[in-house]
Every structure is written in structure tokens, then in C-alpha cells.
Amino acid sequence: MALEEKDVRYVAALAHLELGADEVKTFLPQLDSILEYIQKLNELDTTQVEPMAQVTYPSRENPALRSDQPRRTFGQDESLANAPEGAAGCFKVPQVIERE
Amino acid sequence: MELTQLTIDAIREGLAARKFSAEELVRAHQGEIERKDKDVRAYLSLSPERALEQARKVDRQIAAGEKLGPLAGVPVAIKDVLLTKGLATTCASKILKGYVPPYDATTVARLESAGACVLGKTNCDEFAMGSSTENSGFFTTHNPHALDRVPGGSSGGSAAAVAANMAVASLGSDTGGSIRQPAALCGVVGMMGTYGRVSRYGLVAFASSLDHVGPFGRSVRDVAQVLQIMAGRDPLDSTSADVPVPDYVAALGGENDLKGVRVGVPKEYFAGLNPEIGANIEKGIDLLVKQGARRVDISLPHTDYAIACYYIICTAEASSNLARYDGVRYGYRAPEYSDLHDMYRKTRDGGFGAEVKRRIMLGTYVLSSGYYDAYYLKAQKVRTLITRDYLEAFEDVDVIVTPTSPIPAFKLGERVDNPLEMYLADIYTVTASLAGIPGISVPCGRTKGDPAKNEPPLPVGMQILASHFDETRLLQVAHAFEKAGRFEAA
């Protein structure tokens, strides 16, 4: 097994996931076997191959561009309607800056 | 007349001839849901008011002699990864429980503008990650053909709803097979258009370079009619294609022979699968040949690398897309925490299920410092090779025919403990997703079943693929195949 428990904990921290000890134990062999499986790609020589990030197709113009006109968007109430905690027209989050 | 077994054409004619009203049609489907869905469990939530209001609007239009929309009165189900204004949308995840979107997905809006009545939201694997609908954060959907088996996934609820006559058509999303595979396992038609053919505005993102929205129906003609409404450029989705939409429905034609159509049969798709499925697909190909198609044996040499390539790319993109669930703007927030980062971690730990966490972990790993080139960049290069296989093949053939799934509907719980084995079941569908070409799954008979093992005959799906933006050809072949016999041989 190439992957170790500390690797699983490190990646969990990067991903902001709090994994319990049980989950770390379950994921370790599962992730390890998946990573071992995907090594299969190394059988292919891709030194001369361009990477493909997105499906592209011929198009009349770049459809990603639009005129820079203001449009109506969601108001404050609609934007805050689904917030788990909101107050005074803001999203409420735990304190991030220490007081003096 | 059985109101829950109608085609879209029959609904249009029936409404025009006043054989039934749109309200009666919606109520008939609500009755069917009431009777069947306690066993099938296709729906996560129902929207009776919204459906009835729309039906009454259609009935008023009929009474006033107004022109009706192409989908007027058609009862539809929407996978719960598509946003519906004012109607809870959860992605079958506890992290979005109670989320009520402030807008409709473009696909939902287009369907309703065409007159369709939204019956409710269907169950799926959490954030569309899975192949059995067992990863739903709420409950499992059962296959209507065999209740102890999975409906496939991730759009299992949408497939099961149509298969059990609890909707005429439905919408799903397909990232690596999530429409085509459940269509095959539930014995219905399911289609994914070319990447960019259908707007994804309002589709909750899983893997953005692979996500599609597409229809389910009980016939190719119904699927073509729903696709017709959804396809086309949407200024709200910068990845939607600015390519004209042909008249798919008109192109289906009547007696449609396949004279001169070259059908590619890739040898890599006929090894290591359930032999009964292989035999059914071979018979399906014979049927196409009988109608004038020419069989061309081909090779797609990089097929064997597709699962590895797909699971690197989709998890990498998912780990990025799902970073937005942080307990701040919407959805679940953990009740207790010590500081901001602890709130993030506890919220995500409590809100996400095991498969979603597994994929976020895998995606984070392959993108992490020191591994990017070895995994993500490598996978993007292999994606080029897989796409090239298809582009070269389509120089010699018009469509490609394969099985949709190597196995029929499996028993609930049978594969949940082995994620890699579950991933390998997507082997025949992920390649088209990576290349961005359109694909459809059409029913192709059933397995024989085995009464001794209490195994019923199970649906088999045949996948048809075409080159970019050649949905017309795809639908023509699928339609001709369907007309040639509804294929009941085993």
C-alpha cells in the first residue's frame, strides 16, 4: 500500500473535511486501490499529446463573450434567503479576526 | 384509455380532441405516484400545486382555442440536481436540505414554457455521484422491473419514474453515463446530447467539462421532442453551443430504412461483459443490418484507459466545484463549532455522504502539489487520445453501437462496499462523455432471467453514439431500431 493514514489526513485537511478515525480507516484502502488502478495511464506515452481541458467545437463567434451591459440580478433578500445564518443584510460567519 | 401510458403525440391529439383535460392527465399521474411510489421511491419531493396550476393554464388555453406549446399538458419529472424556483432542490444531499432556489434552470424553464407540468423532483446519487442511486443522502430508489434491484444511477429516480408510468418524460443529468445507464437498467430511452447542446444554467455543477442535461422517455420520439425544446444556445450558459438546432422530430420520418448507414461496432466493448447482454446487442445490430445498415467492425484502442482517465478528471473538477458548500450562503451548517475553519470542516463532514467525500478526497489528491502533472495533466492528455479514437472512427462510420452497461440491474447493496467495482460498471458510457459526443440508450430486449435463482428477466440497453452535433443521425437510427420490433428477443 502506497498511501498512508497521514496522507489521508493531509488531503482531508486540504479539502476542509473532518474525517473521523473510522472514515480514515475505510477510505485508506479504497483510495489506495483507486490510485493504484489509475496508474494504468502510465502505460501510455503521452509526451507528444496535447492536454484536453474542455470539449471544443467550431462556432460562429466566441459564445462566451457578451455585451457588457448591466442586468437585473438577485436582490439582497433573495440572496440571503437560503443562508443558514444571516443578520442585518449580511451572511453571518464565525468571528475570524481576534479582538484586542 | 390509460392516461398514464400515453406518448407525447397521443397527449397532444387527446387534448385537442377533448378526450381528456390536462388536469385529468396530471391527476392520473399523481394517482399513479400515490399507488406505486411507496415501493419504487423515485420522487424526493412532489409539486402538486405547480403541476395543477400549469395544467389548468393549458386547459384554459384549449378552451379559448389558443395555440398550445409543443409539450402542453405533458407530466414530467425533474432530477433534483436541476434548480426549480420556489421548489426545494437538494441534489439528494443533506448539505442542501431545505435549499429553495431563487430561479429555474434553463431546461426546466424551457419545458414549462412549452407547456409541460412538473410533477416533482426525483431521487439520485448525491450530487449525481454514483451508478445505482444508493448514494442518495435520503433513501434508495428501487428498479420498477425488480424491486430488490437498483434502477442504475445517478439519475435513477428519473429513469424509474418514466419506467413505472409515474411521468411521461423526465430530465436527468449525465456526467459519465448517469442518464444512459439508468435508462438501460430501467428499460427506457435516455439521451445525452453533444457537450454544449443543452444549457446547464441551473444544473448544480459536478464536473463542469463533462456535465450534461438530457431527457428520458418511453420512446425515441418522445425523447426527441423533449430534446427539441431544450437544445440551443442559452446566453446564461457560456458553454452552451452557438450551433443551429435542426428539427429532430421531423427528421425521424415515417418508415425509416437505414440504407447506407454505416454502423461501427467497436471490439473493445464486447469483452468481459454479461454474455446475455452481448448476445442481445449482437441481435440488435443484426436488426439494424436487416434494415439496410452496413456493419463495420472498428477499434477504439484507448477504451481500456477511460475509467482511470474519467475518475481523475471528474473527481478533480468535483473537488473544486464542491468547495462552495461551506455552510455560509446556503444549505446546512453544523450546529456547533469552535471557529470558522472548524465550522467548514464540521459542516462538510455532517453534510456530505461517503461517496461524495471519497471523490472530493481523490480529486483533491490528484490536484495537490507535486501530483498535478502525474495525474490530472496525464488524464487530460489521455482524454485527447480517447477523443481522437472517436474522431478517426467517425471518418468511416456514421454511428457506433455498443452495450450501455456491461451488467443488468444488480441487487441493492451488492456493490456498495467496493467503489472501484462500482466505477468499472461505467466502462461503456464514460468514453462518450470524455469526447463530448452525443449518446442514447434504447431498450434492446431483456435477459432470460433464472427462476431457480429468483432472477426475473431484466432490461438490456443498447447505446448508440454519433459524432459532435449529429443528434439527428443518432435519433434516426435509434428510432428505426425501435420501430423495427421493440426488440423482445432474449
Side-chain angles (χ1 to χ4, degrees):
Chain A
M1 197 178 299
L3 206 64
E4 294 175 35
E5 262 192 44
K6 68 171 172 46
D7 302 319
V8 175
R9 290 186 200 282
Y10 170 69
V11 174
L14 287 178
H16 286 305
L17 287 171
E18 181 175 272
L19 300 185
D22 285 0
E23 275 181 311
V24 173
K25 284 214 167 16
T26 312
F27 282 168
L28 179 62
Q30 291 176 341
L31 293 172
D32 194 67
S33 70
I34 296 165
L35 287 170
E36 193 192 312
Y37 176 78
I38 62 184
Q39 301 290 345
K40 189 181 178 66
L41 298 189
N42 293 329
E43 293 167 15
L44 294 170
D45 177 5
T46 53
T47 42
Q48 301 300 314
V49 182
E50 285 292 308
M52 176 178 167
Q54 184 69 290
V55 180
T56 53
Y57 41 81
S59 173
R60 277 176 293 186
E61 55 186 295
N62 185 346
L65 300 179
R66 59 171 172 79
S67 60
D68 189 16
Q69 298 290 324
R71 297 180 288 178
R72 202 199 151 270
T73 180
F74 301 115
Q76 202 175 36
D77 288 349
E78 277 173 309
S79 301
L80 285 167
N82 280 290
E85 276 191 75
C90 298
F91 293 106
K92 199 172 169 189
V93 294
Q95 185 180 333
V96 283
I97 302 167
E98 294 297 325
R99 286 211 181 110
E100 285 295 314
Chain B
M1 181 183 299
E2 193 52 75
L3 288 183
T4 55
Q5 292 172 21
L6 301 175
T7 63
I8 293 174
D9 284 341
I11 288 171
R12 191 178 303 118
E13 287 155 20
L15 288 174
R18 316 259 176 126
K19 285 185 191 155
F20 48 82
S21 68
E23 184 170 343
E24 283 168 346
L25 197 59
V26 164
R27 288 195 188 279
H29 283 84
Q30 290 171 336
E32 200 75 347
I33 293 167
E34 177 89 37
R35 276 188 294 281
K36 287 182 179 164
D37 210 35
K38 54 185 188 301
D39 297 323
V40 177
R41 309 212 72 187
Y43 284 90
L44 275 177
S45 61
L46 296 171
S47 48
E49 298 304 317
R50 184 163 170 154
L52 285 169
E53 206 173 294
Q54 172 87 339
R56 289 184 195 118
K57 189 173 147 196
V58 169
D59 287 332
R60 282 196 300 275
Q61 288 176 317
I62 295 170
E66 290 170 27
K67 191 175 179 324
L68 295 181
L71 300 179
V74 176
V76 297
I78 309 291
K79 184 180 183 181
D80 209 25
V81 293
L82 285 160
L83 302 192
T84 41
K85 187 177 180 175
L87 197 63
T89 300
T90 64
C91 300
S93 180
K94 290 195 173 80
I95 211 159
L96 274 175
K97 195 171 184 190
Y99 172 65
V100 180
Y103 64 98
D104 281 319
T106 295
T107 44
V108 173
R110 285 188 182 177
L111 253 54
E112 288 191 310
S113 297
C117 304
V118 173
L119 296 168
K121 307 295 292 289
T122 53
N123 196 19
C124 54
D125 288 299
E126 184 178 2
F127 285 105
M129 296 179 187
S131 310
S132 68
T133 313
E134 290 167 297
N135 294 333
S136 166
F138 301 117
F139 50 77
T140 298
T141 299
H142 301 248
N143 191 312
H145 296 277
L147 291 171
D148 62 340
R149 287 171 189 264
V150 302
S154 68
S155 312
S158 285
V162 168
N165 298 329
M166 296 190 290
V168 173
S170 60
L171 297 189
S173 66
D174 192 317
T175 303
S178 280
I179 292 175
R180 292 160 286 155
Q181 187 258 17
L185 270 49
C186 287
V188 297
V189 183
M191 178 167 178
M192 163 187 89
T194 306
Y195 182 82
R197 180 72 297 181
V198 173
S199 167
R200 302 179 299 174
Y201 180 69
L203 168 69
V204 176
F206 157 19
S208 302
S209 80
L210 297 158
D211 291 342
H212 301 68
V213 182
F216 288 94
R218 289 188 293 267
S219 69
V220 174
R221 198 175 167 83
D222 281 2
V223 160
Q225 296 191 67
V226 178
L227 180 70
Q228 190 81 54
I229 300 303
M230 297 198 293
R233 171 81 185 142
D234 174 14
L236 297 172
D237 174 3
S238 64
T239 61
S240 74
D242 190 17
V243 173
V245 181
D247 190 335
Y248 299 128
V249 186
L252 294 179
E255 286 306 314
N256 195 339
D257 81 352
L258 294 175
K259 204 164 182 180
V261 173
R262 298 162 301 169
V263 174
V265 181
K267 63 172 189 233
E268 291 82 2
Y269 286 68
F270 291 83
L273 78 171
N274 175 308
E276 278 194 65
I277 292 183
N280 267 32
I281 303 301
E282 286 291 349
K283 283 179 188 166
I285 295 164
D286 290 346
L287 206 55
L288 293 172
V289 169
K290 254 183 223 152
Q291 291 170 279
R294 186 156 63 83
R295 176 184 176 132
V296 183
D297 290 305
I298 61 167
S299 170
L300 298 167
H302 295 97
T303 302
D304 199 29
Y305 299 96
I307 289 287
C309 175
Y310 173 80
Y311 277 93
I312 291 170
I313 291 172
C314 85
T315 57
E317 293 185 12
S319 73
S320 170
N321 273 324
L322 272 63
R324 76 191 66 189
Y325 302 101
D326 56 6
V328 173
R329 287 154 302 161
Y330 33 67
Y332 170 78
R333 174 185 288 192
E336 282 173 42
Y337 43 83
S338 58
D339 60 19
L340 182 67
H341 283 94
D342 194 45
M343 188 277 278
Y344 291 156
R345 285 191 296 269
K346 289 202 162 68
T347 294
R348 289 161 65 79
D349 187 60
F352 290 137
E355 178 61 19
V356 173
K357 288 182 195 170
R358 199 153 36 229
R359 293 204 194 187
I360 291 173
M361 293 282 292
L362 195 58
T364 305
Y365 183 84
V366 300
L367 290 176
S368 64
S369 178
Y371 293 108
Y372 181 91
D373 284 5
Y375 291 111
Y376 190 61
L377 189 65
K378 183 78 184 181
Q380 287 187 314
K381 290 180 170 185
V382 175
R383 187 175 184 180
T384 300
L385 296 176
I386 289 166
T387 305
R388 230 182 255 166
D389 282 355
Y390 275 116
L391 295 178
E392 282 165 16
F394 283 122
E395 286 175 11
D396 301 318
V397 301
D398 300 300
V399 295
I400 293 173
V401 168
T402 78
T404 307
S405 166
I407 44 170
F410 43 95
K411 287 212 166 109
L412 293 161
E414 197 175 271
R415 295 187 160 226
V416 281
D417 294 330
N418 189 339
L420 184 58
E421 195 188 352
M422 192 76 101
Y423 296 172
L424 292 172
D426 300 340
I427 180 70
Y428 299 148
T429 48
V430 294
T431 51
S433 307
L434 289 165
I437 58 171
I440 193 169
S441 180
V442 288
C444 185
R446 287 166 182 259
T447 62
K448 290 189 189 77
D450 186 351
K453 290 190 208 155
N454 201 19
E455 192 182 296
L458 295 165
V460 173
M462 180 168 94
Q463 179 176 237
I464 308 171
L465 307 170
S467 61
H468 296 99
F469 295 103
D470 203 4
E471 281 83 2
T472 305
R473 178 65 64 119
L474 186 75
L475 287 160
Q476 281 170 347
V477 174
H479 183 63
F481 175 72
E482 185 183 71
K483 279 189 81 107
R486 262 287 174 185
F487 205 84
E488 283 303 334

